[in-house]
Amino acid sequence: MTIGLPRALAYHRYGVLWETFFKALGGRVVVSPESDPILIAKGESLADSECCLPVKAYLGHLDRLVGNCDYILAPRFERIGKNDEFCVRFWGLSDLARGTFPGVRILSYNLKSHRPDSEVSGFMKMGKTLGKSQIAVLAAYKKAKQAQLTADTRAGVNQRLLLDSPAIKVLVAAPPYILRDPAMGGTLLRLLAREGVTPIFPEACGRAGCRRASKATSQSLYWVMNKEAIGAIELLRPRVDGVILVSAFPCGTDSLVNELVLRREKRLPVIQIILDGQEGEAGLQTRVECFADILKERRRGYA
């Protein structure tokens, strides 16, 4: 049995969990290739014009998997806590996959973690669909959860080590599906490296800690990844030189939250970068170079 995993959106948060789970059940896992302009263009041709760039990329990844696997995983994500919700686009991913690719067998589960049994129940149902016993599925799930925890811990440790670097450091406040995608955040990270700037990701201070810290900026915010990004600003403010807010057009949640940050953050230089998949590198390079120059001057005490 071959299971296809789109290398987009929640894959960058739960990819280790999924791969470990299906492999532990004896399945063969096929992950779509990294994003490139051709894949993005295909996704755009399949998507509604109002879809954001990451969702368009998601459809491009789904398209690469069609015909190459027995099932494609397309979960539905609602929340990871009572007041921690995903963007509504995540709520409809399984329906989007089925509607765009009718006839393709979709594996899915509904993440509603304010109910303790939500995730494990969903994995048990997927295992049953694949014809596996409850004992085998539960063992695979436990193994997968531990593997994801280990991967998350390692990523956090690596980021915290970067915080000890004497180099200029910038918190890149964006969800992992932008930062880890070479066709979106990849160019930005490469340009920062060229300028000698070390990018720091929100995972440096842990997701749960970031969500708690976000209350210093807003008590009513409930979008999970936005809370993690602005919470990271609160926690890492003394240890970074600046903040880059990265959004993918036309993200509704970012348009509100980033404006909140831009108006309230007075202690660190902040720049907002919006990616739409159409911009050339030259404009982005100019903005990154200018921002890096500002940070370097502040280090010298001239700004």
Side-chain angles (χ1 to χ4, degrees):
M1 189 68 66
T2 302
I3 313 299
L5 304 181
R7 194 191 298 265
L9 293 178
Y11 174 84
H12 298 286
R13 191 182 185 101
Y14 300 111
V16 173
L17 174 74
W18 298 339
E19 290 190 43
T20 305
F21 176 73
F22 290 118
K23 288 179 180 178
L25 290 178
R28 175 174 171 263
V29 174
V30 175
V31 182
S32 58
E34 292 188 336
S35 298
D36 57 35
I38 297 176
L39 183 149
I40 297 290
K42 180 61 178 180
E44 290 177 337
S45 71
L46 294 168
D48 183 273
S49 60
E50 295 183 0
C51 288
C52 63
L53 180 60
V55 171
K56 293 175 180 177
Y58 181 74
L59 290 176
H61 283 276
L62 285 172
D63 180 72
R64 291 288 180 92
L65 292 170
V66 172
N68 296 316
C69 46
D70 300 299
Y71 288 92
I72 296 177
L73 179 66
R76 182 177 191 264
F77 296 97
E78 288 190 29
R79 53 178 64 91
I80 58 173
K82 185 177 180 180
N83 297 311
D84 295 320
E85 295 187 4
F86 285 90
C87 162
V88 293
R89 294 290 186 187
F90 283 84
W91 293 44
L93 289 181
S94 58
D95 294 326
L96 180 65
R98 291 187 178 99
T100 307
F101 301 98
V104 173
R105 291 192 291 182
I106 299 295
L107 277 176
S108 186
Y109 66 94
N110 189 6
L111 183 63
K112 298 169 68 173
S113 290
H114 62 298
R115 293 182 1 212
D117 64 339
S118 168
E119 186 177 72
V120 64
S121 175
F123 275 74
M124 294 299 289
K125 290 178 181 178
M126 289 195 295
K128 183 179 180 180
T129 299
L130 297 176
K132 305 299 180 179
S133 70
Q134 288 188 350
I135 294 176
V137 176
L138 186 58
Y141 173 73
K142 289 180 178 179
K143 180 179 181 180
K145 286 292 285 185
Q146 184 58 52
Q148 185 67 64
L149 176 61
T150 300
D152 291 343
T153 301
R154 185 183 303 116
V157 169
N158 291 339
Q159 284 291 302
R160 287 190 287 276
L161 289 175
L162 291 176
L163 285 170
D164 295 329
S165 165
I168 291 176
K169 295 175 287 290
V170 168
L171 171 62
V172 186
Y177 55 79
I178 290 179
L179 294 177
R180 305 296 188 189
D181 192 305
M184 285 184 263
T187 302
L188 171 63
L189 298 182
R190 179 168 51 80
L191 291 173
L192 287 173
R194 185 187 299 175
E195 293 299 313
V197 174
T198 299
I200 303 296
F201 302 158
E203 61 206 45
C205 39
R207 292 168 181 160
C210 288
R211 292 195 296 273
R212 289 191 296 269
S214 70
K215 295 184 182 298
T217 301
S218 172
Q219 292 285 333
S220 58
L221 186 65
Y222 52 82
W223 294 305
V224 170
M225 296 191 189
N226 291 108
K227 289 176 74 170
E228 292 171 358
I230 67 172
I233 297 174
E234 293 293 332
L235 294 174
L236 297 177
R237 186 181 288 113
R239 305 190 67 183
V240 297
D241 298 278
V243 177
I244 299 180
L245 302 172
V246 185
S247 301
F249 182 82
C251 180
T253 63
D254 283 358
S255 65
L256 295 173
V257 176
N258 288 356
E259 183 65 24
L260 177 65
V261 173
L262 289 168
R263 293 187 181 195
R264 296 192 60 170
E265 182 55 54
K266 305 299 183 183
R267 284 163 281 186
L268 288 174
V270 182
I271 185 174
Q272 179 175 353
I273 292 176
I274 301 176
L275 308 173
D276 64 6
Q278 304 298 322
E279 72 281 347
E281 183 176 316
L284 180 59
Q285 178 178 341
T286 299
R287 299 195 71 195
V288 170
E289 288 176 351
C290 290
F291 192 61
D293 286 344
I294 291 173
L295 300 183
K296 292 171 184 176
E297 290 300 306
R298 281 173 60 89
R299 272 287 186 99
R300 298 188 186 103
Y302 297 137

